[in-house]
Structure formats: structure tokens, C-alpha cells
Amino acid sequence: MTTTTAPPAPAGETSVPDGAPRKRAAARAEGRAAWILALPFCLLFLTFTAWPVLQSLFMSFTDTRARDLRTPFAVDLVGFENYAKAFGDPTFRQAVANTAYFVLVGVPLTLTVALAAAVALDRGIHRLRSVFRLGFYTPVITSIVAVAVVWRFLLETDYGLINTVLGWVGIAGPNWLGDPNWSMPALIMLATWRNFGTGMIIFLAGLQSVPWQLHEAAAIDGASAWQRFRHVTVPMLRPTILFVSVTTGIGYLQFFEEPFVMTSGGPLNSTISMSMYTYNQFGFGNYGYAASLSYLIFVLVAIVTALQFRFLREKD
Amino acid sequence: MGLNSKKANWWLYGVLTVALVAVVAPFAWMVLGSFKTEGELRSSPPTWWPQTATLDNYTQLFSRLSFGDYFTNSVVVAVAVTAGNLLFCSMLGYAFAMLEFRGKRALFLVVMTTLMIPGVVTFVPLFVLVANAGLVDTLPGLFLPFLVSPFGVFLMRQFVLGLPKDLVDAARVDGTGEIGIFARIILPLCGPALATLGILTFLGSWNNFLWPLVVAQTEKTYTLPVALALYSTGQNSTNYGLLLAGATVVVLPVLLVFLVFQRRFIEGIATTGIK
């Protein structure tokens, strides 16, 4: 907070008599330079992040609609009406349930696949490690829109690649995107496929910090590979697991592109997500209502983050 | 692992190979499919190699639809966003790491707490703001809100913290100005961090969807993901060959860049994840 440079010696202790004023001048120059460097960020940040965050909160208590665009403050305050409306809105409740489904199944699944891949690459094999690592990570860098387009065709009932492969082993694949029971599993499958690479890379880095001696000691004591994984690797990786589950969870809470491209939220609203419903309300011109929905997503993100921190911290 | 490691290894290689095929196959199928005719794409069982390879899908993509323009829009937006982030985030990152100034802690706290604010929270008032500035359906409207990011500041700060503070003190003794120290001494040393931030930012902008979808309202400002998503849900929704070619155009440049710079990507993810 305060502007003191030159940490070791307080001003009075310098041997040069005029040291103190010169140091103060230097500190002022430093502070000025720091603010000049910070200025562009601060201006852009205030305009495009801080202001909209506050404005969004304000808007969520108003009945702002598209035609109020030019006069964002000349609108009526409606208190918690938008929020009340959201909780009573059957489509939004469906969107909340769908999002919960996506997060509660998708996050553990993605983490499990990521951790399995990381452990296999870290300890199990010696050759071609970088080839597998590269391959598994590739989907992460691609546009969700593009892969969702591709997956829509892969999931075709009659001539899709996935049902063809299932046919080889005698399984009649479902009408993935047309059946309300299978649409969400299909989206979760896509999300896991696309995202586990990030977790895998972070777990691989985390595994480097697990001391090999602990594994050796446990092996000498007769612990099986699974016991060593369960009681040595997992506890050592706890901070990393926390990090990956929080970031994956925050991302999954906002899923949008997958239903937008693959199902338009259908069939029978079985894949409409909170973000997508918010976007739709915005599209209808209900800005105030959309703002309140986006704040609900924000609150959920904050709660999920806090809960995951607690849950994974407690066991230390 | 011990003595039975050889047997376990073969089993593991098998599983990993199947997994690798499952991960990579959709991309191979996308690229190969983009050269197939509409009829072949609907044949059952599906074919792997195109029986009659055709460039029709690409010709249509760039002549009947304006994918060339969308490509340019995507590049312009991504370059602007990347340049802004590299410059502005490194400036503030350096100030946080090496300089003392009034309000530093408060500012740092604000930046950190906004790290996790999702884009979906701000897009409605942001749209109102951009609309009132007359920037809807313009390229500046697409990139201005993304010129800085808290993540970029954090990344640069962490990197600069690892540089010796003596560099700054010595330059001051030599009479170099404060801004000169940043521009001529610190910035040239930030190569690795700038590369990581640049790659991640470019990629994020290239794949960004919600905001361009909101702001780009006519074809002249569509970015590639917006165009692809709207065509895939609109009148071309059943034109498979065209959509696969479109997806290839979105994915392939990024894939090539990734293969060239993969080490940097993966290190970037690993270090930002751990720190």
C-alpha cells in the first residue's frame, strides 16, 4: 500500500545527508511509472469488465428490454421480480437441472479420464509418451463449435461412425441427439473427449512432485499398485485435483456451444443449459431478465468454487 | 511396477492406442469427409477414404459463402486481442512484480477476484455499452472488450517475479528511466512468458463464440465459429460436406500452429495450472 522503495534501510539511517529526499523523489518516480504502466489496463478493465459487472447487477433488478437500449437508466426498478420469475419459470428450472446433470456427471468423468491418462503416461510406459500426450491434448485447442459440428455427424443414428463402431460389437446404438434420454450423455461424452487433455497435462505436472521414495516404501510394505495410487498418489495430488475440478466445473457450468450447435437445446428441452437459456432471453430482448439469469450463473459458479475448496481441503 | 512390468506394459500400450485412435479419429474423419460428396457422406456403412475425392465443398465455402472474409475477420480480431494482451498485461504484470506504488494491493486483489467472472455474466450490459458506442456489428466491437485479461496480468507477474530485482536497481543506477527499464530491460527477457500468453490468447480469441455471436449481426463481421454455428443450425444444416469443410477451415490452422509450438502450449498449461 505505502510507497517505500529501498527496503533495507529506513531513510534516517543513510550516511549521505541528502539521501532521504532523493529516495523519496525516486519512490515518487517509481510510483508514477507504475501507474502509467497500469493505466491502459485499468481503463479497459473498468470500461469492459468492472462497469458491466455492476451494470449487470443493476439491470437484473429492472425491467430493461431491447427498446430501452439508448436509455439504460430510464427503466423501472422491479426489485426481485426477475429472480422470482426465474425460479418459477419451468424452462429455466429445466435448464438448471440439465446444467446440474452436465456438471455432476461431466466433471467426475473428465477428472477420472484425465487422471487415468496421466498416471498411465507417467508410470506405465516409457516409449511414445510424448506422442500420446500430444494426441490426447489435441481436442483441447480446437473450437467447440467445430468439433460439435463434427460430432453431430459422428452421432447420426444410421450412418454415424459411433453407431457403426457399436454395431461391430453387436450393440444397436441409440438415436443419440434425437432421444431425450441420450442427448445429455452424448453432450457429456463430447465434453469429456474435448477437455480431459487439460486435466491430464496438469496432473502430469503434479505427478512429478510425488516423491518416488514414498511409492518404493509403500511397495516394500506390500501395498498393491491400486493401494499405492489410492493412499500415496491421490493424497499428494489433492491440490492439483482441487484446481482441475474447480476450473473444469466453472467451465462446465457455462456450457453453451454444445447444445447450441448439436441440439438447439432439444429434444424437449433435454439439453438446454443455463447459459443457452440466458442467451435466448437476451435474443428475445428481455435484457433485465437475462441479466438476472446471468447473475444466478455467477452465484452458482462462486458457490461451486467455495464448496469444492471446502470439500477437498477438509481431508487434509 | 516391479517384475511384471513388461506384461502390464503391452496391455497398457494397447489401451492407450485404442484411446488415441478414439481421440484423433474425429479429426481424421472431418478432414477426409470434407472431400467427400454429399451422397457418400450419407451412405451406410460410412466410408473412411473418399471414393470420389472432390474439392466442391471448399469451392462452395469460399465462393457461395464468404468463408474467406470470415477467416480474415477471425485473424484480425485474434491479432488485435493478442497484441493488446501482450502489451498491456506485461506492463501491469511488471508493475505488480517489481514496483511499489500506492493502491498496489487493492488493485491486485480486484484483478484476482475477477479472474473467475464468466463472460456470460457481463455480456448483456456489455452489449448495451457497445451498442451505444455504435460498435455493434463492427470488428472493434468484437475485440475491444478483450484487449486485457486478469489471467494475462497474473501470468506475466508470476514470470517477472522470477527475474532478479538487481536488474532494475542496476538500470536505475545507470540512469535509465522507469519506463525505459520496462521496455528495454525487462520486456526482452519475458520471451517465454510472452510466447505462452500470446499462444493461449490467440487460441482463446480464435475459438471464442458467445461474444462474437452477440455482436456480429451480419455476414460482414462474422468470425469463423459464428459463421459455422449459424450455418450448421440454419439453412445449410443438412449440407454435411460443406459443414465438414467449414469445420476443417476452423480447426486446421490452429492444429498446425499447435503441432509446431506444442511444447510451449503444454508447458504453459502445466505452469499456469500449478502456480
Side-chain angles (χ1 to χ4, degrees):
Chain A
M1 283 298 204
T2 47
T3 54
T4 37
T5 13
E13 288 175 24
T14 39
S15 50
V16 189
D18 62 348
R22 194 179 295 162
K23 268 190 183 152
R24 266 203 298 277
R28 264 204 306 277
E30 186 178 332
R32 215 168 30 236
W35 273 107
I36 291 171
L37 292 171
L39 197 64
F41 179 94
C42 291
L43 287 178
L44 288 161
F45 181 80
L46 283 175
T47 315
F48 295 115
T49 303
W51 169 251
V53 166
L54 297 176
Q55 172 77 354
S56 199
L57 186 61
F58 170 76
M59 251 186 184
S60 73
F61 294 108
T62 69
D63 61 355
T64 311
R65 294 188 43 82
R67 64 181 130 75
D68 303 317
L69 203 62
R70 299 245 155 237
T71 52
F73 289 103
V75 291
D76 293 327
L77 282 168
V78 294
F80 283 90
E81 208 173 273
N82 286 326
Y83 292 96
K85 188 177 159 196
F87 290 115
D89 181 341
T91 315
F92 183 66
R93 293 208 326 223
Q94 172 86 55
V96 173
N98 291 341
T99 306
Y101 184 175
F102 190 81
V103 171
L104 291 178
V105 178
V107 172
L109 187 64
T110 307
L111 251 75
T112 307
V113 175
L115 190 54
V119 170
L121 293 191
D122 187 57
R123 299 264 188 258
I125 64 169
H126 301 288
R127 280 170 212 215
L128 299 174
R129 190 181 286 162
S130 58
V131 173
F132 285 116
R133 193 179 62 166
L134 187 66
F136 291 156
Y137 187 71
T138 302
V140 173
I141 59 151
T142 56
S143 149
I144 305 183
V145 170
V147 296
V149 164
V150 175
W151 272 69
R152 219 174 73 194
F153 303 144
L154 295 176
L155 289 165
E156 281 285 351
T157 316
D158 299 325
Y159 41 85
L161 201 58
I162 289 175
N163 279 358
T164 306
V165 172
L166 287 176
W168 293 344
V169 288
I171 299 171
N175 178 5
W176 292 98
L177 299 177
D179 181 337
N181 293 318
W182 286 103
S183 50
M184 193 54 97
L187 296 199
I188 292 172
M189 202 158 70
L190 162 66
T192 306
W193 170 84
R194 183 179 177 276
N195 294 307
F196 83 91
T198 309
M200 177 195 73
I201 295 294
I202 297 172
F203 283 137
L204 271 172
L207 284 169
Q208 307 290 315
S209 65
V210 179
W212 186 231
Q213 296 92 311
L214 278 180
H215 275 279
E216 277 179 348
I220 290 167
D221 289 346
S224 68
W226 171 252
Q227 284 172 325
R228 273 177 284 149
F229 172 75
R230 182 71 193 74
H231 298 290
V232 177
T233 309
V234 170
M236 292 297 290
L237 275 185
R238 197 170 290 283
T240 316
I241 294 173
L242 169 72
F243 177 83
V244 177
S245 58
V246 168
T247 49
T248 310
I250 290 175
Y252 282 11
L253 268 172
Q254 303 167 59
F255 81 113
F256 175 66
E257 285 98 329
E258 296 91 341
F260 187 95
V261 171
M262 295 171 78
T263 59
S264 306
L268 302 173
N269 285 335
S270 62
T271 56
I272 196 163
S273 70
M274 290 173 73
S275 292
M276 192 174 170
Y277 190 63
T278 306
Y279 172 79
N280 288 348
Q281 288 302 321
F282 168 78
F284 297 145
N286 302 328
Y287 292 0
Y289 189 39
S292 70
L293 298 181
S294 50
Y295 248 83
L296 287 174
I297 298 177
F298 184 33
V299 169
L300 257 180
V301 166
I303 292 175
V304 166
T305 311
L307 276 182
Q308 280 178 322
F309 266 99
R310 262 198 99 130
F311 177 68
L312 284 165
R313 276 271 165 80
E314 261 169 16
K315 299 189 176 169
D316 276 352
Chain B
M1 301 290 138
L3 293 170
N4 55 4
S5 65
K6 253 183 203 160
K7 209 189 286 173
N9 264 348
W10 281 116
W11 179 81
L12 200 55
Y13 273 110
V15 172
L16 284 170
T17 307
V18 170
L20 187 64
V21 169
V23 169
V24 176
F27 294 115
W29 191 81
M30 168 189 79
V31 175
L32 292 172
S34 70
F35 295 108
K36 290 176 192 165
T37 60
E38 209 53 36
E40 188 180 345
L41 281 166
R42 284 161 204 279
S43 62
S44 177
T47 55
W48 194 245
W49 290 102
Q51 288 164 335
T52 44
T54 167
L55 282 174
D56 268 8
N57 297 319
Y58 288 96
T59 326
Q60 275 205 54
L61 210 57
F62 288 98
S63 59
R64 189 165 70 80
L65 310 175
S66 327
F67 263 67
D69 295 345
Y70 311 149
F71 193 93
T72 313
N73 290 341
S74 274
V75 170
V76 169
V77 171
V79 167
V81 168
T82 307
N85 272 277
L86 288 182
L87 182 62
F88 301 141
C89 294
S90 60
M91 283 161 65
L92 183 54
Y94 162 72
F96 276 145
M98 292 282 193
L99 303 179
E100 290 303 325
F101 57 101
R102 206 178 285 273
K104 175 172 161 174
R105 263 202 228 198
L107 185 60
F108 187 65
L109 202 68
V110 170
V111 170
M112 285 302 98
T113 43
T114 51
L115 253 178
M116 58 161 235
I117 291 183
V120 71
V121 172
T122 53
F123 84 94
V124 181
L126 201 52
F127 177 78
V128 174
L129 186 79
V130 166
N132 284 326
L135 293 174
V136 168
D137 211 20
T138 66
L139 291 183
L142 288 173
F143 65 69
L144 276 177
F146 293 95
L147 288 182
V148 294
S149 68
F151 166 76
V153 172
F154 183 65
L155 187 83
M156 294 311 298
R157 172 187 177 266
Q158 293 307 97
F159 184 83
V160 176
L161 277 177
L163 299 174
K165 189 143 202 295
D166 300 354
L167 283 171
V168 177
D169 295 336
R172 279 195 190 125
V173 172
D174 290 346
T176 314
E178 290 287 339
I179 306 293
I181 295 175
F182 164 72
R184 290 202 298 273
I185 293 169
I186 298 297
L187 208 53
L189 294 172
C190 290
L194 290 172
T196 302
L197 178 61
I199 288 168
L200 294 177
T201 308
F202 191 94
L203 194 66
S205 174
W206 187 265
N207 293 339
N208 194 13
F209 182 60
L210 177 60
W211 179 247
L213 180 69
V214 166
V215 173
Q217 308 209 319
T218 63
E219 295 193 359
K220 77 177 164 71
T221 51
Y222 281 0
T223 59
L224 284 174
V226 172
L228 184 61
L230 292 181
Y231 287 130
S232 78
T233 53
Q235 54 188 351
N236 291 301
S237 64
T238 50
N239 200 339
Y240 288 5
L242 199 62
L243 292 175
L244 287 180
T248 307
V249 171
V250 179
V251 167
L252 214 56
V254 164
L255 220 52
L256 294 177
V257 173
F258 171 61
L259 290 178
V260 174
F261 296 108
Q262 43 130 333
R263 202 164 287 273
R264 182 111 277 148
F265 264 93
I266 288 175
E267 274 168 13
I269 299 294
T271 49
T272 51
I274 292 311
K275 286 194 171 157

